[in-house]
Amino acid sequence: MILHWLIGIAILAEVGFGLYLREIARGSPERGPAVNLHKSIGLVIGLAILVRLVWRFTHSPPPLPSDIPRWQSVAARANHTAMYLCMIVIPFSGYAASNFSKHGINLFNRWVLPPWGSDAPQVYTVLNTLHDVVAYVLLGLVVVHVVATLKHAWIDRDRPFARLSLRHPNS
């Protein structure tokens, strides 16, 4: 559960950082280090997501209560699956895009990871657009996830919300 919260907060902060990068003018001295920090943090979050996926595949979550309507359990599974897919696509497409630009990645502005692809602006544009669009999709899915969680906590007052508590025994 701690990994769930840490990754969730990190992803939201990283998306916010990505949006902030749009405010820094291309070619300005601040942009390069800021973009490289975004890439570096994204790689770390991507590794944490892989750890989370391994955990998820090796540890089943507690079952949803049997009294939850079927459409809600199907919707919850679909939303979680879509969020996991987005969490894989975003760092992968960002990393791949960086490898089709002349800049590559300067990991934490200390270690240069030279690009393994050629400088291909069209490929970079497609991958970077995918990176951006899927980040927005993930934000929408997170909003649905949070609203559904709050509905269960405040309106239904049922067990799914208790599963998110760090104190819950089945977390």
Side-chain angles (χ1 to χ4, degrees), residues 37-153:
L37 183 58
H38 176 74
K39 292 175 183 182
S40 300
I41 292 169
L43 288 174
V44 171
I45 293 171
L47 291 174
I49 289 166
L50 290 177
V51 169
R52 172 81 170 133
L53 285 171
V54 168
W55 177 267
R56 187 74 163 90
F57 287 131
T58 59
H59 296 79
S60 295
L64 293 172
S66 59
D67 60 342
I68 287 184
R70 175 141 173 79
W71 75 267
Q72 285 184 15
S73 63
V74 168
R77 272 193 290 281
N79 195 59
H80 279 97
T81 299
M83 284 192 299
Y84 277 113
L85 287 172
C86 289
M87 289 187 290
I88 293 166
V89 169
I90 293 168
F92 176 78
S93 59
Y95 176 72
S98 294
N99 281 285
F100 287 99
S101 81
K102 62 184 174 198
H103 302 292
I105 298 173
N106 188 340
L107 197 61
F108 291 105
N109 294 307
R110 292 188 163 222
W111 302 283
V112 175
L113 303 177
W116 42 258
S118 61
D119 186 20
Q122 297 84 1
V123 175
Y124 169 83
T125 299
V126 168
L127 291 169
N128 197 53
T129 300
L130 176 66
H131 179 75
D132 290 349
V133 168
V134 176
Y136 284 116
V137 170
L138 178 61
L139 281 178
L141 293 168
V142 167
V143 167
V144 169
H145 179 69
V146 169
V147 167
T149 300
L150 294 175
K151 175 212 175 269
H152 283 282

Side-chain angles (χ1 to χ4, degrees), residues 24-36 109:
I24 302 174
R26 290 188 181 275
S28 69
E30 308 84 42
R31 185 161 174 89
V35 168
N36 279 312
N109 294 307

